[in-house]
């Protein structure tokens, strides 16, 4: 059973998500909160696996709440709920430790699939949405010719390839096919990338690759 908390200041939206998730065995909504501060408190009191987190809320926004929730060892994973107008907040939340983001009008099947993916340790960062998000504020990202972080020099050529493909939104299965490797080997390489760069998960790999200039919004094809 995947225990989910809904965090949004719009009660009607929480009700809608609760109805959708309630129809799926294996997922249980165990808590709700109307702002980030209440969400942080709820995490301390209730066992939660995945948090569906709005970004713009009173008292404490979703970015700060995500940072606090993810700073606790063994804390729940966070999926950000966003709209086309708030993409910059979604990116900030990825940096804060979120495992991905969903649009608020996400189809029910995609919502359920995303919760299962995040619960299993994967990230939900769709390539097309990521490109649009990053292109929106590409001016704030490194330009061509900027020196790469020293940490990248510690990666092998294969690990670097895996990092780039993860940043472009490919799954482990797709990366295995692209590089003609076993999927287990891809997972091993990705694990080493995370360890060497001090990153939590695939979502932070995406952030790191773009912020370091290794991948640019316009090259992520």
């Amino acid at each position: 059973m995947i225990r989910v908390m809904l965090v949004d200041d719009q009660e009607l939206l929480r009700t809608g998500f609760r109805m959708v998730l309630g129809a799926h065995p294996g997922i249980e909504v165990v808590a709700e909160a109307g702002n980030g501060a209440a969400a942080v408190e709820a995490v301390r009191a209730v066992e939660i696996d995945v948090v569906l987190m709005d970004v713009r809320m009173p008292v404490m926004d979703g970015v700060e709440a995500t940072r606090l929730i993810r700073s606790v060892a063994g804390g729940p994973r966070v999926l950000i709920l966003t709209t086309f107008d708030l993409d910059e907040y979604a990116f900030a939340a990825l940096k804060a430790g979120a495992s991905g983001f969903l649009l608020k009008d996400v189809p029910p099947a995609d919502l359920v699939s995303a919760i299962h993916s995040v619960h299993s340790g994967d990230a939900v960062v769709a390539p097309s949405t990521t490109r649009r998000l990053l292109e929106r504020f590409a001016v704030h990202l490194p330009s061509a010719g900027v020196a790469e972080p020293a940490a990248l020099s510690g990666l092998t050529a294969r690990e670097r390839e895996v990092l780039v493909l993860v940043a472009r939104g490919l799954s482990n299965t797709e990366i295995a096919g692209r590089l003609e490797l076993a999927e287990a080997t891809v997972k091993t390489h990705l694990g080493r990338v995370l360890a060497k760069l001090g990153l939590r998960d695939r979502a932070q790999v995406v952030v790191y690759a773009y912020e370091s200039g290794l991948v640019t919004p316009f090259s992520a094809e």
Side-chain angles (χ1 to χ4, degrees):
M1 183 67 69
I2 302 175
R3 296 160 297 195
V4 174
M5 174 165 67
L6 305 176
V7 185
D8 196 294
D9 60 338
Q10 297 183 47
E11 184 176 356
L12 185 60
L13 192 114
R14 297 201 309 271
T15 299
F17 279 127
R18 185 172 64 251
M19 291 177 63
V20 168
L21 297 179
H24 291 269
I27 296 178
E28 180 183 7
V29 176
V30 296
E32 295 185 31
N35 60 70
V40 173
E41 289 300 317
V43 166
R44 294 171 180 159
V46 182
E47 288 193 32
I48 298 166
D49 300 310
V50 177
V51 178
L52 293 182
M53 179 81 74
D54 189 17
V55 284
R56 187 173 284 186
M57 297 179 289
V59 185
M60 178 187 292
D61 66 30
V63 175
E64 178 63 11
T66 296
R67 186 187 67 77
L68 292 174
I69 289 171
R70 294 300 297 151
S71 67
V72 178
R77 294 181 176 271
V78 179
L79 263 174
I80 293 297
L81 299 172
T82 186
T83 67
F84 285 104
D85 293 330
L86 296 175
D87 282 346
E88 61 271 27
Y89 291 93
F91 188 77
L94 290 181
K95 291 181 65 175
S99 294
F101 51 89
L102 299 170
L103 297 178
K104 287 190 174 182
D105 60 355
V106 59
D110 290 349
L111 173 63
V112 172
S113 175
I115 289 172
H116 280 283
S117 293
V118 167
H119 182 253
S120 68
D122 209 340
V124 181
V125 187
S128 59
T129 307
T130 302
R131 281 200 295 274
R132 178 174 49 76
L133 183 162
L134 291 161
E135 286 166 4
R136 176 171 176 150
F137 59 97
V139 67
H140 301 301
L141 295 168
S143 56
V146 173
E148 293 181 352
L152 284 175
S153 64
L155 301 182
T156 66
R158 183 64 83 190
E159 289 165 356
R160 191 182 179 98
E161 284 182 302
V162 170
L163 187 160
V164 169
L165 293 176
V166 168
R168 290 177 177 169
L170 275 68
S171 67
N172 286 347
T173 301
E174 292 168 333
I175 294 172
R178 178 78 65 89
L179 299 181
E180 298 183 345
L181 298 172
E183 188 171 346
T185 303
V186 173
K187 290 180 180 178
T188 298
H189 286 311
L190 178 56
R192 289 173 180 163
V193 169
L194 295 175
K196 289 181 178 181
L197 301 181
L199 305 174
R200 291 191 190 98
D201 55 24
R202 300 175 77 93
Q204 290 205 331
V205 168
V206 173
V207 174
Y208 184 94
Y210 281 96
E211 288 197 324
S212 68
L214 185 61
V215 176
T216 67
F218 309 102
S219 70
E221 301 297 337

